[in-house]
Amino acid sequence: MNNTIVVIANATDTLDFLLKELRAYLEPYCRVIGYASYEHIPDLRGAAHVFITSKSPLLYTIARQATAGEVPITVLNRFFELRKIKALMQIPLGTTVSVMNNSPVSAQEVIDNLLEANIDHLNYIPFHPGCTFDDTTKYAIIMSVPDVPLPPDVEVIDLGFRKISIHDLIDTGRKVGVPIEWEREYLSKFIVEMSELAKMLGTSYAEVQKLNSQLQSTFQAVKDPVIACNEDGLITFINDVAIELFCPQETSVIGRPYTVLKEHDLLLPFFEHEGLEDTLVTIDHRQFIVSSQSIRRSYEHLGFVCTLKDVTEIQRLRTQLTLRGHTATYTFSNIIGESERLMHAIELSKKMAKNNQTILLLGENGTGKELFAHAIHQHSLRKNGPFVAINCASLPENLLESELFGYEDGAFTGARKGGKPGVFEQADGGTIFLDEVGDISPSIQVKLLRVLQEKQVIRVGGTGVLSVDCRVVAATNRDLEDAVSQGQFREDLFYRLAVLPIEIPSLRERISDLPLLIKDHLDKQGIRKTWAPEVMELLLSHDWRGNIRELKNVVDYAITVSEQPVLTIHDLPKRLIDRVSRKSVHEAPIEIADDRDLDILTCLYQYYTANKPVGRYQLAHSPALKATGWTESALRNKLKHLEQQRLVQSGTTRQGTSITREGIEVLRQHGRI
């Protein structure tokens, strides 16, 4: 439960509303669950945070009993949607209004919220079960469902459920790993909604000021300058970063024309025209990329939101990261191959890249797991953040700990003065790639588990807790489930790492990609050489224990020793030829009782060389097999028999059936190829 947010409310309808709102923003980055105060609440000591819906001492006591004092408990800050309080603005000054809720405490909280929102021209009276209406009551405020029956002559104003404060949403989201891109997208939608409400509530200076006070307190979290104007060119909100850039001497610019800003002529196109592309401008010797978004309600134009990104800062950060090697250099286009197994792994990786959960890359050494890690980062929402890679098997335990988590000044002899941040800190806002994660020691496993659970690190020799926001991509060539069963790897850490597992196929599982890999390797070196047919057959029959890394070594050896345009068997490393020879000597030939089996293997080989998948229906209706009397049902049984002999391999419906290396060898032994 340690990545679980819990909500406890008195009423189930309120609980359902709040759960829906929290889940819309926080999931899938954490789990959100809720309980009504009157139902059984289980042990919540493993939760990350517990929210309660009011300051009621009873509600707090219920929550604290469930957490045993080990989990922070906070009262959710909530606010009313402005469109729903418009009716209150039309009630005459000083009118007495009953505010209804299910308890004295919650009713008073609603009144406090109204006063904080500057809806302070009315005389509010708390009303809850047990109270009675008098003859002077003309108005009653309810939250969706009245808690007591209402007299027929009372005008009811339904404010609906109070929404969760955007401060609470953003603060909680940052603690559970919500990407900054999603946070900004949510903020942008909030800007648009607030701007529409400004139009609906009126355009008087006082009303715009009320709206702006809410916007200002919300958008200071945005590090880029942001300015919004209505359709008349009046500024409806501006954050502190923009004020510092455009009008540091002005006390207030809300409600004034944007022309009061310095360099306003550079912004004019973005506040006057729709559909403009991002443009590079220079302000105070700094370069910014300016973009704008039109604010609309249905077909009505309400104004523009203008955002500026500091190019100088972007370039500085990118240069800094590049110098440190903290950038991803490969994309999915750099992964060479067209086999079904590889394409499946790529498509799965692209889908998982958009998520923020931990990815575990599984595969043998030399299959390209690091290449996939780079590509996943480049395809993710964190692509503009750092990409930091570390090989967990290449460092001794004490050095690996300091590299992962950093160390404080004086933590050990020879430590850098002032300390050093670890790779988790360096990857903040981006992706960390933990290669060979299956080889870390038990003590490091415990500390890594804490980082994954709490998203916090403690440097070696330090006591301070540092929050980190990075996406973890791990890789291993070990069978971690087997390591767990043998007690060599923590089970809880395994499940933390293997949230989104991806299997990277070995070269022998996608042997049809071998010619493409060789060609790509030669093209990158500008070498134009071809291979003798018998050499390519030998390469295709090899088991490639070292995968792509071994293949590149063989190619590099051959092009180095050969001076001819065509590479022959004599140009291959002796160890490769010896391994293939020993394999053919020790392997007993597989007996084929029926020549019609060879017909099936021959047909599959033709699809194999064309790098195309084939299903049973298509195979049964191929001219060669149809002529020998094969039906789809008979072919199904025969393929099962051939698969037991490891001559063919059946995949998913999309992958179809393919011939194996053993099947190719049988065809070679019987002179079919």
Side-chain angles (χ1 to χ4, degrees):
M1 284 184 64
N2 41 34
N3 199 26
T4 299
I5 303 297
V6 182
V7 182
I8 301 177
N10 285 322
T12 55
D13 51 356
T14 302
L15 179 63
D16 292 341
F17 176 81
L18 296 176
L19 287 176
K20 182 178 180 181
E21 194 171 11
L22 284 169
R23 286 167 177 165
Y25 184 69
L26 298 178
E27 291 186 346
Y29 310 107
C30 73
R31 181 174 173 234
V32 181
I33 59 176
Y35 301 96
S37 59
Y38 55 80
E39 64 181 346
H40 170 71
I41 300 178
D43 188 343
L44 300 178
R45 280 178 288 186
H49 202 105
V50 173
F51 286 113
I52 57 178
T53 54
S54 78
K55 299 176 183 177
S56 165
L58 177 60
L59 194 59
Y60 180 84
T61 301
I62 292 172
R64 181 50 71 200
Q65 288 174 345
T67 60
E70 298 181 6
V71 179
I73 299 173
T74 306
V75 178
L76 270 176
N77 292 302
R78 293 187 284 161
F79 70 98
F80 297 102
E81 293 186 73
L82 294 183
R83 62 170 54 89
K84 292 189 176 181
I85 64 175
K86 186 176 182 181
L88 291 178
M89 310 292 285
Q90 299 170 350
I91 299 177
L93 178 68
T95 302
T96 297
V97 179
S98 297
V99 178
M100 303 181 63
N101 215 315
N102 51 24
S103 71
V105 173
S106 57
Q108 186 58 49
E109 285 181 3
V110 173
I111 294 174
D112 293 341
N113 285 166
L114 290 168
L115 295 176
E116 290 169 2
N118 294 322
I119 315 300
D120 52 6
H121 65 295
L122 303 175
N123 179 29
Y124 299 112
I125 303 296
F127 198 96
H128 50 86
C131 295
T132 57
F133 287 96
D134 57 37
D135 295 337
T136 62
T137 304
K138 294 183 178 180
Y139 298 94
I141 295 174
I142 66 171
M143 263 55 70
S144 292
V145 179
D147 293 285
V148 297
L150 296 171
D153 55 344
V154 171
E155 183 176 338
V156 178
I157 301 170
D158 183 5
L159 297 184
F161 295 109
R162 287 175 289 165
K163 294 173 68 69
I164 299 172
S165 163
I166 198 166
H167 293 94
D168 284 5
L169 282 177
I170 291 175
D171 184 59
T172 305
R174 290 179 177 177
K175 291 177 181 177
V176 301
V178 171
I180 188 66
E181 289 81 5
W182 173 228
E183 176 184 309
R184 289 186 177 180
E185 181 180 343
Y186 193 89
L187 288 172
S188 297
K189 292 178 180 177
F190 190 80
I191 289 177
V192 173
E193 182 181 3
M194 291 297 105
S195 299
E196 289 180 353
L197 292 173
K199 177 70 175 180
M200 183 189 72
L201 293 175
T203 55
S204 71
Y205 179 77
E207 289 173 330
V208 172
Q209 280 289 74
K210 288 180 181 179
L211 176 63
N212 183 67
S213 66
Q214 296 186 43
L215 288 170
Q216 288 300 306
S217 62
T218 299
F219 289 101
Q220 299 313 325
V222 180
K223 297 180 180 180
D224 300 319
V226 179
I227 310 166
C229 287
N230 62 19
E231 69 274 23
D232 298 321
L234 302 179
I235 299 173
T236 54
F237 70 84
I238 181 170
N239 65 355
D240 286 349
V241 183
I243 290 174
E244 183 65 27
L245 180 64
F246 289 103
C247 51
Q249 307 301 324
E250 297 286 344
T251 56
S252 177
V253 294
I254 300 299
R256 299 172 64 184
Y258 75 87
T259 51
V260 302
L261 306 176
K262 68 176 183 180
E263 308 287 0
H264 62 81
D265 54 319
L266 297 176
L267 302 178
L268 185 148
F270 300 94
F271 288 136
E272 300 288 343
H273 306 289
E274 296 186 49
L276 290 180
E277 296 183 355
D278 294 353
T279 304
L280 186 68
V281 301
T282 302
I283 302 173
D284 287 346
H285 307 292
R286 294 161 61 191
Q287 289 188 315
F288 295 87
I289 296 176
V290 186
S291 60
S292 66
Q293 178 182 355
S294 177
I295 303 172
R296 290 187 168 277
R297 181 179 60 204
S298 299
Y299 296 101
E300 182 182 8
H301 176 67
L302 301 177
F304 292 95
V305 176
C306 184
T307 305
L308 296 90
K309 292 187 179 295
D310 191 336
V311 176
T312 307
E313 180 66 12
I314 293 173
Q315 293 295 343
R316 185 188 70 80
L317 291 174
R318 286 185 176 175
T319 301
Q320 190 178 61
L321 291 172
T322 302
L323 291 174
R324 293 178 182 174
H326 294 170
T327 54
T329 53
Y330 304 107
T331 66
F332 284 111
S333 62
N334 297 116
I335 301 176
I336 306 302
E338 298 175 353
S339 65
E340 197 72 21
R341 291 287 299 274
L342 180 68
M343 297 310 295
H344 175 70
I346 290 175
E347 289 304 313
L348 190 61
S349 299
K350 287 181 177 179
K351 292 177 182 177
M352 293 183 175
K354 297 301 183 182
N355 199 292
N356 201 44
Q357 299 287 353
T358 302
I359 288 178
L360 180 61
L361 302 174
L362 303 166
E364 300 175 6
N365 282 330
T367 53
K369 296 188 292 295
E370 184 167 357
L371 200 65
F372 268 83
H374 280 250
I376 287 170
H377 173 76
Q378 294 277 46
H379 202 71
S380 74
L381 297 174
R382 296 173 175 265
K383 62 183 178 182
N384 294 323
F387 175 84
V388 185
I390 183 170
N391 189 307
C392 299
S394 63
L395 298 172
E397 180 180 339
N398 58 345
L399 184 55
L400 176 62
E401 181 181 6
S402 63
E403 286 296 313
L404 285 173
F405 312 120
Y407 55 82
E408 293 290 357
D409 188 9
F412 49 83
T413 303
R416 179 190 297 179
K417 184 175 178 60
K420 178 187 175 184
V423 291
F424 274 99
E425 292 179 64
Q426 297 171 43
D428 192 43
T431 303
I432 182 171
F433 175 49
L434 303 176
D435 199 7
E436 305 298 350
V437 73
D439 295 329
I440 60 177
S441 66
S443 62
I444 301 293
Q445 290 179 32
V446 174
K447 296 181 179 180
L448 178 58
L449 179 63
R450 172 185 171 83
V451 178
L452 295 178
Q453 289 177 335
E454 308 295 337
K455 298 191 179 297
Q456 296 175 336
V457 297
I458 300 177
R459 290 184 178 182
V460 176
T463 57
V465 177
L466 302 171
S467 296
V468 291
D469 171 28
C470 59
R471 200 262 185 88
V472 176
V473 177
T476 182
N477 62 349
R478 294 187 65 188
D479 184 341
L480 289 188
E481 290 190 78
D482 184 57
V484 168
S485 64
Q486 295 179 18
Q488 299 172 353
F489 201 85
R490 291 182 64 99
E491 184 176 20
D492 47 3
L493 178 58
F494 168 70
Y495 288 116
R496 280 285 176 186
L497 291 171
V499 179
L500 303 176
I502 302 173
E503 292 191 12
I504 312 300
S506 63
L507 181 54
R508 61 182 169 276
E509 292 174 309
R510 59 181 189 106
I511 196 67
S512 58
D513 288 332
L514 186 140
L516 293 175
L517 291 166
I518 293 176
K519 181 179 182 303
D520 177 72
H521 189 57
L522 293 177
D523 288 346
K524 287 178 179 177
Q525 301 179 67
I527 295 175
R528 298 288 182 269
K529 289 195 176 188
T530 58
W531 302 79
E534 63 272 15
V535 176
M536 186 58 68
E537 283 190 26
L538 186 146
L539 296 178
L540 289 171
S541 65
H542 184 44
D543 55 10
W544 299 108
R545 300 173 193 171
N547 291 293
I548 299 173
R549 190 176 295 134
E550 181 187 1
L551 173 64
K552 289 181 177 180
N553 289 345
V554 169
V555 174
D556 289 339
Y557 178 92
I559 61 178
T560 300
V561 301
S562 174
E563 298 179 353
Q564 303 301 320
V566 179
L567 300 171
T568 67
I569 288 182
H570 301 293
D571 299 320
L572 297 178
K574 183 175 183 297
R575 57 182 171 77
L576 175 67
I577 300 174
D578 290 346
R579 276 175 60 186
V580 174
S581 299
R582 285 196 301 270
K583 179 172 175 290
S584 60
V585 168
H586 290 95
E587 284 185 350
I590 298 175
E591 295 294 332
I592 297 295
D594 190 342
D595 283 348
R596 295 205 311 164
D597 292 358
L598 294 175
D599 294 337
I600 296 174
L601 294 176
T602 302
C603 191
L604 285 171
Y605 181 74
Q606 292 170 352
Y607 282 100
Y608 167 81
T609 55
N611 199 27
K612 293 181 180 179
V614 59
R616 284 192 303 270
Y617 177 84
Q618 187 178 4
L619 197 62
H621 288 77
S622 63
L625 298 188
K626 197 172 182 180
T628 54
W630 282 108
T631 63
E632 188 175 355
S633 59
L635 188 61
R636 180 187 299 110
N637 295 329
K638 176 55 68 173
L639 288 174
K640 287 182 179 179
H641 176 70
L642 293 175
E643 188 171 17
Q644 291 172 354
Q645 293 181 287
R646 298 194 303 174
L647 301 180
V648 304
Q649 178 178 341
S650 296
T652 63
T653 302
R654 183 182 174 192
Q655 293 171 335
T657 302
S658 59
I659 191 171
T660 63
R661 289 184 296 107
E662 290 81 359
I664 295 174
E665 185 61 31
V666 166
L667 290 178
R668 186 175 288 112
Q669 292 172 1
H670 288 79
R672 288 290 188 105
I673 58 173

